Amino acid sequence: MKIAICPGSFDPITWGHLDIIRRASVMFDKVIVAVLVNPEKNPSFTAEERLAMINEVIADMPNVEAECFEGLLADYARMKHAQAIVKGLRAVTDFEYEFQMSLINRKLNPETDTIFLTTSVQHMYLSSSMVKSVASFGGDISEFVPECICEQIKQRLCRKN
């Protein structure tokens, strides 16, 4: 079985993330959406909330599952017997950082390769940070995130509440 991991903070998950996850689900037998738990970051949503949102939006993808992880991605990939780490790229600046991370992960776990998928054109500008910024000012985020989680994000982040 070919297993891939799509790691990230997903704070919150966006259509851009889902584009990469959906495309990976066609390429691999199993895709694990790995929600990073990083105590040094201050996410807007708890790991459990992010996991719940992800599970809601991947419900129609039978070979995709989600779970939280702490620690090194290379160790997590080894534990899950993953052949690949799938990362989405929006711009050249993403590549520089992700390329460096892929080299480190390869050094720590030579059995797992990193695969880069370029984000679809309609999602190139999209990031969780931008979604949070728009939502915090009461802006319409309905084109950036799935409808089933839109209200939850607005309720948490809108400063007008």
PDB file of all heavy atoms in Angstrom, residues 94-128:
ATOM      1  N   ASP A  94       7.595  29.681  -1.140  1.00  0.00           N
ATOM      2  CA  ASP A  94       7.221  28.418  -0.500  1.00  0.00           C
ATOM      3  C   ASP A  94       8.267  27.357  -0.806  1.00  0.00           C
ATOM      4  O   ASP A  94       8.651  26.580   0.063  1.00  0.00           O
ATOM      5  CB  ASP A  94       5.872  27.905  -1.027  1.00  0.00           C
ATOM      6  CG  ASP A  94       4.676  28.653  -0.473  1.00  0.00           C
ATOM      7  OD1 ASP A  94       4.836  29.443   0.472  1.00  0.00           O
ATOM      8  OD2 ASP A  94       3.571  28.435  -1.005  1.00  0.00           O
ATOM      9  N   PHE A  95       8.724  27.319  -2.058  1.00  0.00           N
ATOM     10  CA  PHE A  95       9.659  26.289  -2.468  1.00  0.00           C
ATOM     11  C   PHE A  95      10.955  26.348  -1.678  1.00  0.00           C
ATOM     12  O   PHE A  95      11.472  25.319  -1.251  1.00  0.00           O
ATOM     13  CB  PHE A  95       9.967  26.366  -3.968  1.00  0.00           C
ATOM     14  CG  PHE A  95      10.961  25.334  -4.402  1.00  0.00           C
ATOM     15  CD1 PHE A  95      10.590  24.009  -4.535  1.00  0.00           C
ATOM     16  CD2 PHE A  95      12.279  25.685  -4.636  1.00  0.00           C
ATOM     17  CE1 PHE A  95      11.507  23.041  -4.912  1.00  0.00           C
ATOM     18  CE2 PHE A  95      13.216  24.734  -5.009  1.00  0.00           C
ATOM     19  CZ  PHE A  95      12.825  23.406  -5.149  1.00  0.00           C
ATOM     20  N   GLU A  96      11.493  27.522  -1.472  1.00  0.00           N
ATOM     21  CA  GLU A  96      12.768  27.651  -0.762  1.00  0.00           C
ATOM     22  C   GLU A  96      12.706  27.009   0.621  1.00  0.00           C
ATOM     23  O   GLU A  96      13.576  26.229   0.999  1.00  0.00           O
ATOM     24  CB  GLU A  96      13.167  29.122  -0.662  1.00  0.00           C
ATOM     25  CG  GLU A  96      13.535  29.734  -1.990  1.00  0.00           C
ATOM     26  CD  GLU A  96      13.790  31.229  -1.898  1.00  0.00           C
ATOM     27  OE1 GLU A  96      13.969  31.760  -0.786  1.00  0.00           O
ATOM     28  OE2 GLU A  96      13.809  31.874  -2.964  1.00  0.00           O
ATOM     29  N   TYR A  97      11.664  27.324   1.363  1.00  0.00           N
ATOM     30  CA  TYR A  97      11.506  26.767   2.710  1.00  0.00           C
ATOM     31  C   TYR A  97      11.228  25.265   2.641  1.00  0.00           C
ATOM     32  O   TYR A  97      11.850  24.473   3.351  1.00  0.00           O
ATOM     33  CB  TYR A  97      10.375  27.494   3.444  1.00  0.00           C
ATOM     34  CG  TYR A  97      10.051  26.869   4.775  1.00  0.00           C
ATOM     35  CD1 TYR A  97      10.864  27.083   5.883  1.00  0.00           C
ATOM     36  CD2 TYR A  97       8.936  26.041   4.926  1.00  0.00           C
ATOM     37  CE1 TYR A  97      10.579  26.507   7.104  1.00  0.00           C
ATOM     38  CE2 TYR A  97       8.646  25.454   6.138  1.00  0.00           C
ATOM     39  CZ  TYR A  97       9.468  25.684   7.228  1.00  0.00           C
ATOM     40  OH  TYR A  97       9.179  25.094   8.431  1.00  0.00           O
ATOM     41  N   GLU A  98      10.287  24.875   1.789  1.00  0.00           N
ATOM     42  CA  GLU A  98       9.888  23.468   1.708  1.00  0.00           C
ATOM     43  C   GLU A  98      11.012  22.585   1.163  1.00  0.00           C
ATOM     44  O   GLU A  98      11.161  21.435   1.575  1.00  0.00           O
ATOM     45  CB  GLU A  98       8.625  23.307   0.852  1.00  0.00           C
ATOM     46  CG  GLU A  98       7.394  23.965   1.439  1.00  0.00           C
ATOM     47  CD  GLU A  98       6.950  23.406   2.784  1.00  0.00           C
ATOM     48  OE1 GLU A  98       7.446  22.341   3.210  1.00  0.00           O
ATOM     49  OE2 GLU A  98       6.096  24.041   3.424  1.00  0.00           O
ATOM     50  N   PHE A  99      11.817  23.106   0.265  1.00  0.00           N
ATOM     51  CA  PHE A  99      12.954  22.353  -0.250  1.00  0.00           C
ATOM     52  C   PHE A  99      13.943  22.046   0.869  1.00  0.00           C
ATOM     53  O   PHE A  99      14.414  20.921   1.016  1.00  0.00           O
ATOM     54  CB  PHE A  99      13.631  23.135  -1.379  1.00  0.00           C
ATOM     55  CG  PHE A  99      14.809  22.438  -1.982  1.00  0.00           C
ATOM     56  CD1 PHE A  99      14.636  21.286  -2.739  1.00  0.00           C
ATOM     57  CD2 PHE A  99      16.097  22.920  -1.805  1.00  0.00           C
ATOM     58  CE1 PHE A  99      15.719  20.631  -3.306  1.00  0.00           C
ATOM     59  CE2 PHE A  99      17.190  22.271  -2.358  1.00  0.00           C
ATOM     60  CZ  PHE A  99      16.997  21.122  -3.115  1.00  0.00           C
ATOM     61  N   GLN A 100      14.231  23.048   1.683  1.00  0.00           N
ATOM     62  CA  GLN A 100      15.133  22.855   2.822  1.00  0.00           C
ATOM     63  C   GLN A 100      14.560  21.803   3.785  1.00  0.00           C
ATOM     64  O   GLN A 100      15.280  20.912   4.232  1.00  0.00           O
ATOM     65  CB  GLN A 100      15.343  24.185   3.541  1.00  0.00           C
ATOM     66  CG  GLN A 100      16.327  24.101   4.678  1.00  0.00           C
ATOM     67  CD  GLN A 100      16.520  25.455   5.361  1.00  0.00           C
ATOM     68  OE1 GLN A 100      15.671  26.345   5.260  1.00  0.00           O
ATOM     69  NE2 GLN A 100      17.613  25.603   6.050  1.00  0.00           N
ATOM     70  N   MET A 101      13.281  21.902   4.069  1.00  0.00           N
ATOM     71  CA  MET A 101      12.652  20.928   4.963  1.00  0.00           C
ATOM     72  C   MET A 101      12.683  19.525   4.368  1.00  0.00           C
ATOM     73  O   MET A 101      12.910  18.545   5.086  1.00  0.00           O
ATOM     74  CB  MET A 101      11.200  21.333   5.264  1.00  0.00           C
ATOM     75  CG  MET A 101      11.065  22.578   6.120  1.00  0.00           C
ATOM     76  SD  MET A 101      11.919  22.451   7.713  1.00  0.00           S
ATOM     77  CE  MET A 101      11.050  21.092   8.440  1.00  0.00           C
ATOM     78  N   SER A 102      12.485  19.421   3.059  1.00  0.00           N
ATOM     79  CA  SER A 102      12.495  18.099   2.426  1.00  0.00           C
ATOM     80  C   SER A 102      13.873  17.452   2.525  1.00  0.00           C
ATOM     81  O   SER A 102      13.978  16.238   2.711  1.00  0.00           O
ATOM     82  CB  SER A 102      12.045  18.182   0.973  1.00  0.00           C
ATOM     83  OG  SER A 102      13.034  18.780   0.158  1.00  0.00           O
ATOM     84  N   LEU A 103      14.927  18.257   2.413  1.00  0.00           N
ATOM     85  CA  LEU A 103      16.285  17.719   2.546  1.00  0.00           C
ATOM     86  C   LEU A 103      16.556  17.225   3.962  1.00  0.00           C
ATOM     87  O   LEU A 103      17.161  16.163   4.159  1.00  0.00           O
ATOM     88  CB  LEU A 103      17.313  18.778   2.140  1.00  0.00           C
ATOM     89  CG  LEU A 103      17.298  19.179   0.668  1.00  0.00           C
ATOM     90  CD1 LEU A 103      18.268  20.327   0.422  1.00  0.00           C
ATOM     91  CD2 LEU A 103      17.608  17.988  -0.232  1.00  0.00           C
ATOM     92  N   ILE A 104      16.090  17.971   4.936  1.00  0.00           N
ATOM     93  CA  ILE A 104      16.255  17.552   6.333  1.00  0.00           C
ATOM     94  C   ILE A 104      15.465  16.266   6.584  1.00  0.00           C
ATOM     95  O   ILE A 104      15.979  15.313   7.190  1.00  0.00           O
ATOM     96  CB  ILE A 104      15.831  18.676   7.303  1.00  0.00           C
ATOM     97  CG1 ILE A 104      16.832  19.829   7.220  1.00  0.00           C
ATOM     98  CG2 ILE A 104      15.701  18.163   8.734  1.00  0.00           C
ATOM     99  CD1 ILE A 104      16.392  21.085   7.930  1.00  0.00           C
ATOM    100  N   ASN A 105      14.210  16.237   6.129  1.00  0.00           N
ATOM    101  CA  ASN A 105      13.387  15.040   6.328  1.00  0.00           C
ATOM    102  C   ASN A 105      13.997  13.826   5.641  1.00  0.00           C
ATOM    103  O   ASN A 105      13.974  12.723   6.189  1.00  0.00           O
ATOM    104  CB  ASN A 105      11.955  15.272   5.828  1.00  0.00           C
ATOM    105  CG  ASN A 105      11.162  16.139   6.774  1.00  0.00           C
ATOM    106  OD1 ASN A 105      11.360  16.104   7.989  1.00  0.00           O
ATOM    107  ND2 ASN A 105      10.267  16.930   6.228  1.00  0.00           N
ATOM    108  N   ARG A 106      14.570  14.032   4.467  1.00  0.00           N
ATOM    109  CA  ARG A 106      15.212  12.931   3.734  1.00  0.00           C
ATOM    110  C   ARG A 106      16.441  12.411   4.484  1.00  0.00           C
ATOM    111  O   ARG A 106      16.704  11.214   4.513  1.00  0.00           O
ATOM    112  CB  ARG A 106      15.595  13.405   2.330  1.00  0.00           C
ATOM    113  CG  ARG A 106      16.201  12.357   1.472  1.00  0.00           C
ATOM    114  CD  ARG A 106      15.135  11.459   0.906  1.00  0.00           C
ATOM    115  NE  ARG A 106      15.771  10.545  -0.035  1.00  0.00           N
ATOM    116  CZ  ARG A 106      15.258   9.425  -0.399  1.00  0.00           C
ATOM    117  NH1 ARG A 106      14.089   9.055   0.033  1.00  0.00           N
ATOM    118  NH2 ARG A 106      15.885   8.651  -1.241  1.00  0.00           N
ATOM    119  N   LYS A 107      17.176  13.324   5.091  1.00  0.00           N
ATOM    120  CA  LYS A 107      18.355  12.928   5.878  1.00  0.00           C
ATOM    121  C   LYS A 107      17.933  12.119   7.109  1.00  0.00           C
ATOM    122  O   LYS A 107      18.559  11.123   7.462  1.00  0.00           O
ATOM    123  CB  LYS A 107      19.133  14.186   6.300  1.00  0.00           C
ATOM    124  CG  LYS A 107      20.449  13.911   6.916  1.00  0.00           C
ATOM    125  CD  LYS A 107      21.449  13.505   5.869  1.00  0.00           C
ATOM    126  CE  LYS A 107      22.841  13.508   6.440  1.00  0.00           C
ATOM    127  NZ  LYS A 107      23.776  12.873   5.520  1.00  0.00           N
ATOM    128  N   LEU A 108      16.834  12.561   7.757  1.00  0.00           N
ATOM    129  CA  LEU A 108      16.352  11.889   8.960  1.00  0.00           C
ATOM    130  C   LEU A 108      15.609  10.594   8.655  1.00  0.00           C
ATOM    131  O   LEU A 108      15.568   9.684   9.490  1.00  0.00           O
ATOM    132  CB  LEU A 108      15.429  12.820   9.756  1.00  0.00           C
ATOM    133  CG  LEU A 108      16.081  14.081  10.316  1.00  0.00           C
ATOM    134  CD1 LEU A 108      15.025  15.005  10.913  1.00  0.00           C
ATOM    135  CD2 LEU A 108      17.138  13.727  11.346  1.00  0.00           C
ATOM    136  N   ASN A 109      15.010  10.511   7.464  1.00  0.00           N
ATOM    137  CA  ASN A 109      14.234   9.332   7.081  1.00  0.00           C
ATOM    138  C   ASN A 109      14.397   9.100   5.576  1.00  0.00           C
ATOM    139  O   ASN A 109      13.584   9.556   4.782  1.00  0.00           O
ATOM    140  CB  ASN A 109      12.755   9.532   7.439  1.00  0.00           C
ATOM    141  CG  ASN A 109      11.902   8.348   7.037  1.00  0.00           C
ATOM    142  OD1 ASN A 109      12.363   7.398   6.409  1.00  0.00           O
ATOM    143  ND2 ASN A 109      10.628   8.405   7.393  1.00  0.00           N
ATOM    144  N   PRO A 110      15.451   8.387   5.180  1.00  0.00           N
ATOM    145  CA  PRO A 110      15.727   8.166   3.751  1.00  0.00           C
ATOM    146  C   PRO A 110      14.664   7.351   3.020  1.00  0.00           C
ATOM    147  O   PRO A 110      14.630   7.337   1.793  1.00  0.00           O
ATOM    148  CB  PRO A 110      17.056   7.414   3.748  1.00  0.00           C
ATOM    149  CG  PRO A 110      17.633   7.593   5.106  1.00  0.00           C
ATOM    150  CD  PRO A 110      16.493   7.841   6.034  1.00  0.00           C
ATOM    151  N   GLU A 111      13.765   6.680   3.755  1.00  0.00           N
ATOM    152  CA  GLU A 111      12.732   5.860   3.126  1.00  0.00           C
ATOM    153  C   GLU A 111      11.540   6.675   2.620  1.00  0.00           C
ATOM    154  O   GLU A 111      10.672   6.153   1.931  1.00  0.00           O
ATOM    155  CB  GLU A 111      12.207   4.798   4.107  1.00  0.00           C
ATOM    156  CG  GLU A 111      13.242   3.764   4.519  1.00  0.00           C
ATOM    157  CD  GLU A 111      14.126   4.256   5.669  1.00  0.00           C
ATOM    158  OE1 GLU A 111      13.608   4.933   6.573  1.00  0.00           O
ATOM    159  OE2 GLU A 111      15.326   3.971   5.640  1.00  0.00           O
ATOM    160  N   THR A 112      11.475   7.938   2.986  1.00  0.00           N
ATOM    161  CA  THR A 112      10.323   8.770   2.620  1.00  0.00           C
ATOM    162  C   THR A 112      10.778   9.938   1.756  1.00  0.00           C
ATOM    163  O   THR A 112      11.677  10.683   2.125  1.00  0.00           O
ATOM    164  CB  THR A 112       9.623   9.312   3.886  1.00  0.00           C
ATOM    165  OG1 THR A 112       9.263   8.208   4.725  1.00  0.00           O
ATOM    166  CG2 THR A 112       8.370  10.076   3.535  1.00  0.00           C
ATOM    167  N   ASP A 113      10.130  10.083   0.599  1.00  0.00           N
ATOM    168  CA  ASP A 113      10.412  11.199  -0.304  1.00  0.00           C
ATOM    169  C   ASP A 113       9.387  12.299  -0.104  1.00  0.00           C
ATOM    170  O   ASP A 113       8.259  12.048   0.325  1.00  0.00           O
ATOM    171  CB  ASP A 113      10.344  10.741  -1.767  1.00  0.00           C
ATOM    172  CG  ASP A 113      11.586   9.987  -2.189  1.00  0.00           C
ATOM    173  OD1 ASP A 113      12.691  10.493  -1.929  1.00  0.00           O
ATOM    174  OD2 ASP A 113      11.437   8.901  -2.774  1.00  0.00           O
ATOM    175  N   THR A 114       9.760  13.524  -0.462  1.00  0.00           N
ATOM    176  CA  THR A 114       8.822  14.634  -0.468  1.00  0.00           C
ATOM    177  C   THR A 114       8.422  14.907  -1.907  1.00  0.00           C
ATOM    178  O   THR A 114       9.263  14.976  -2.793  1.00  0.00           O
ATOM    179  CB  THR A 114       9.452  15.902   0.156  1.00  0.00           C
ATOM    180  OG1 THR A 114       9.798  15.619   1.512  1.00  0.00           O
ATOM    181  CG2 THR A 114       8.476  17.067   0.114  1.00  0.00           C
ATOM    182  N   ILE A 115       7.121  15.051  -2.097  1.00  0.00           N
ATOM    183  CA  ILE A 115       6.568  15.365  -3.413  1.00  0.00           C
ATOM    184  C   ILE A 115       5.911  16.731  -3.320  1.00  0.00           C
ATOM    185  O   ILE A 115       5.133  16.998  -2.393  1.00  0.00           O
ATOM    186  CB  ILE A 115       5.532  14.310  -3.844  1.00  0.00           C
ATOM    187  CG1 ILE A 115       6.217  12.959  -4.007  1.00  0.00           C
ATOM    188  CG2 ILE A 115       4.809  14.736  -5.110  1.00  0.00           C
ATOM    189  CD1 ILE A 115       5.274  11.822  -4.288  1.00  0.00           C
ATOM    190  N   PHE A 116       6.237  17.590  -4.269  1.00  0.00           N
ATOM    191  CA  PHE A 116       5.657  18.933  -4.307  1.00  0.00           C
ATOM    192  C   PHE A 116       4.574  18.986  -5.373  1.00  0.00           C
ATOM    193  O   PHE A 116       4.805  18.601  -6.517  1.00  0.00           O
ATOM    194  CB  PHE A 116       6.723  19.980  -4.619  1.00  0.00           C
ATOM    195  CG  PHE A 116       7.817  20.054  -3.591  1.00  0.00           C
ATOM    196  CD1 PHE A 116       9.100  19.644  -3.897  1.00  0.00           C
ATOM    197  CD2 PHE A 116       7.561  20.534  -2.321  1.00  0.00           C
ATOM    198  CE1 PHE A 116      10.121  19.718  -2.956  1.00  0.00           C
ATOM    199  CE2 PHE A 116       8.563  20.605  -1.370  1.00  0.00           C
ATOM    200  CZ  PHE A 116       9.842  20.199  -1.688  1.00  0.00           C
ATOM    201  N   LEU A 117       3.412  19.478  -4.982  1.00  0.00           N
ATOM    202  CA  LEU A 117       2.328  19.727  -5.933  1.00  0.00           C
ATOM    203  C   LEU A 117       2.079  21.227  -5.965  1.00  0.00           C
ATOM    204  O   LEU A 117       1.925  21.851  -4.910  1.00  0.00           O
ATOM    205  CB  LEU A 117       1.043  19.010  -5.501  1.00  0.00           C
ATOM    206  CG  LEU A 117       1.068  17.492  -5.479  1.00  0.00           C
ATOM    207  CD1 LEU A 117      -0.276  16.943  -4.983  1.00  0.00           C
ATOM    208  CD2 LEU A 117       1.391  16.929  -6.848  1.00  0.00           C
ATOM    209  N   THR A 118       2.057  21.775  -7.156  1.00  0.00           N
ATOM    210  CA  THR A 118       1.762  23.207  -7.250  1.00  0.00           C
ATOM    211  C   THR A 118       0.265  23.407  -7.065  1.00  0.00           C
ATOM    212  O   THR A 118      -0.555  22.646  -7.576  1.00  0.00           O
ATOM    213  CB  THR A 118       2.211  23.796  -8.597  1.00  0.00           C
ATOM    214  OG1 THR A 118       1.629  23.038  -9.650  1.00  0.00           O
ATOM    215  CG2 THR A 118       3.721  23.771  -8.716  1.00  0.00           C
ATOM    216  N   THR A 119      -0.065  24.421  -6.315  1.00  0.00           N
ATOM    217  CA  THR A 119      -1.455  24.735  -6.043  1.00  0.00           C
ATOM    218  C   THR A 119      -2.153  25.140  -7.328  1.00  0.00           C
ATOM    219  O   THR A 119      -1.558  25.781  -8.186  1.00  0.00           O
ATOM    220  CB  THR A 119      -1.529  25.881  -5.010  1.00  0.00           C
ATOM    221  OG1 THR A 119      -0.793  25.488  -3.854  1.00  0.00           O
ATOM    222  CG2 THR A 119      -2.940  26.194  -4.625  1.00  0.00           C
ATOM    223  N   SER A 120      -3.410  24.763  -7.441  1.00  0.00           N
ATOM    224  CA  SER A 120      -4.202  25.182  -8.599  1.00  0.00           C
ATOM    225  C   SER A 120      -4.260  26.702  -8.650  1.00  0.00           C
ATOM    226  O   SER A 120      -4.250  27.372  -7.612  1.00  0.00           O
ATOM    227  CB  SER A 120      -5.616  24.614  -8.500  1.00  0.00           C
ATOM    228  OG  SER A 120      -5.566  23.210  -8.546  1.00  0.00           O
ATOM    229  N   VAL A 121      -4.322  27.237  -9.841  1.00  0.00           N
ATOM    230  CA  VAL A 121      -4.259  28.683 -10.052  1.00  0.00           C
ATOM    231  C   VAL A 121      -5.288  29.430  -9.209  1.00  0.00           C
ATOM    232  O   VAL A 121      -4.986  30.472  -8.625  1.00  0.00           O
ATOM    233  CB  VAL A 121      -4.433  29.018 -11.552  1.00  0.00           C
ATOM    234  CG1 VAL A 121      -4.544  30.508 -11.779  1.00  0.00           C
ATOM    235  CG2 VAL A 121      -3.282  28.446 -12.351  1.00  0.00           C
ATOM    236  N   GLN A 122      -6.504  28.900  -9.113  1.00  0.00           N
ATOM    237  CA  GLN A 122      -7.543  29.614  -8.376  1.00  0.00           C
ATOM    238  C   GLN A 122      -7.279  29.688  -6.874  1.00  0.00           C
ATOM    239  O   GLN A 122      -7.951  30.434  -6.165  1.00  0.00           O
ATOM    240  CB  GLN A 122      -8.942  29.021  -8.641  1.00  0.00           C
ATOM    241  CG  GLN A 122      -9.155  27.619  -8.109  1.00  0.00           C
ATOM    242  CD  GLN A 122      -8.886  26.534  -9.131  1.00  0.00           C
ATOM    243  OE1 GLN A 122      -8.012  26.662  -9.984  1.00  0.00           O
ATOM    244  NE2 GLN A 122      -9.622  25.446  -9.046  1.00  0.00           N
ATOM    245  N   HIS A 123      -6.286  28.944  -6.376  1.00  0.00           N
ATOM    246  CA  HIS A 123      -5.977  28.953  -4.941  1.00  0.00           C
ATOM    247  C   HIS A 123      -4.584  29.509  -4.621  1.00  0.00           C
ATOM    248  O   HIS A 123      -4.168  29.485  -3.468  1.00  0.00           O
ATOM    249  CB  HIS A 123      -6.077  27.541  -4.370  1.00  0.00           C
ATOM    250  CG  HIS A 123      -7.397  26.889  -4.610  1.00  0.00           C
ATOM    251  ND1 HIS A 123      -8.582  27.413  -4.174  1.00  0.00           N
ATOM    252  CD2 HIS A 123      -7.713  25.751  -5.272  1.00  0.00           C
ATOM    253  CE1 HIS A 123      -9.576  26.623  -4.533  1.00  0.00           C
ATOM    254  NE2 HIS A 123      -9.073  25.616  -5.206  1.00  0.00           N
ATOM    255  N   MET A 124      -3.870  30.020  -5.606  1.00  0.00           N
ATOM    256  CA  MET A 124      -2.480  30.434  -5.398  1.00  0.00           C
ATOM    257  C   MET A 124      -2.315  31.518  -4.340  1.00  0.00           C
ATOM    258  O   MET A 124      -1.310  31.572  -3.653  1.00  0.00           O
ATOM    259  CB  MET A 124      -1.851  30.897  -6.714  1.00  0.00           C
ATOM    260  CG  MET A 124      -1.552  29.754  -7.648  1.00  0.00           C
ATOM    261  SD  MET A 124      -0.664  30.294  -9.092  1.00  0.00           S
ATOM    262  CE  MET A 124       0.968  30.478  -8.407  1.00  0.00           C
ATOM    263  N   TYR A 125      -3.279  32.374  -4.201  1.00  0.00           N
ATOM    264  CA  TYR A 125      -3.198  33.493  -3.265  1.00  0.00           C
ATOM    265  C   TYR A 125      -3.644  33.106  -1.860  1.00  0.00           C
ATOM    266  O   TYR A 125      -3.477  33.861  -0.911  1.00  0.00           O
ATOM    267  CB  TYR A 125      -4.100  34.637  -3.757  1.00  0.00           C
ATOM    268  CG  TYR A 125      -5.555  34.241  -3.786  1.00  0.00           C
ATOM    269  CD1 TYR A 125      -6.372  34.452  -2.685  1.00  0.00           C
ATOM    270  CD2 TYR A 125      -6.092  33.601  -4.904  1.00  0.00           C
ATOM    271  CE1 TYR A 125      -7.694  34.050  -2.701  1.00  0.00           C
ATOM    272  CE2 TYR A 125      -7.412  33.208  -4.915  1.00  0.00           C
ATOM    273  CZ  TYR A 125      -8.208  33.432  -3.815  1.00  0.00           C
ATOM    274  OH  TYR A 125      -9.509  33.024  -3.834  1.00  0.00           O
ATOM    275  N   LEU A 126      -4.213  31.938  -1.710  1.00  0.00           N
ATOM    276  CA  LEU A 126      -4.914  31.556  -0.497  1.00  0.00           C
ATOM    277  C   LEU A 126      -3.994  30.984   0.564  1.00  0.00           C
ATOM    278  O   LEU A 126      -3.155  30.135   0.285  1.00  0.00           O
ATOM    279  CB  LEU A 126      -5.980  30.517  -0.880  1.00  0.00           C
ATOM    280  CG  LEU A 126      -7.077  30.190   0.091  1.00  0.00           C
ATOM    281  CD1 LEU A 126      -7.779  31.435   0.591  1.00  0.00           C
ATOM    282  CD2 LEU A 126      -8.078  29.259  -0.580  1.00  0.00           C
ATOM    283  N   SER A 127      -4.159  31.453   1.786  1.00  0.00           N
ATOM    284  CA  SER A 127      -3.439  30.899   2.931  1.00  0.00           C
ATOM    285  C   SER A 127      -4.350  30.972   4.144  1.00  0.00           C
ATOM    286  O   SER A 127      -5.286  31.776   4.190  1.00  0.00           O
ATOM    287  CB  SER A 127      -2.150  31.685   3.198  1.00  0.00           C
ATOM    288  OG  SER A 127      -2.464  32.980   3.696  1.00  0.00           O
ATOM    289  N   SER A 128      -4.058  30.151   5.127  1.00  0.00           N
ATOM    290  CA  SER A 128      -4.831  30.190   6.379  1.00  0.00           C
ATOM    291  C   SER A 128      -4.719  31.562   7.024  1.00  0.00           C
ATOM    292  O   SER A 128      -5.704  32.076   7.577  1.00  0.00           O
ATOM    293  CB  SER A 128      -4.325  29.114   7.347  1.00  0.00           C
ATOM    294  OG  SER A 128      -4.585  27.828   6.837  1.00  0.00           O
TER     295      SER A 128
END
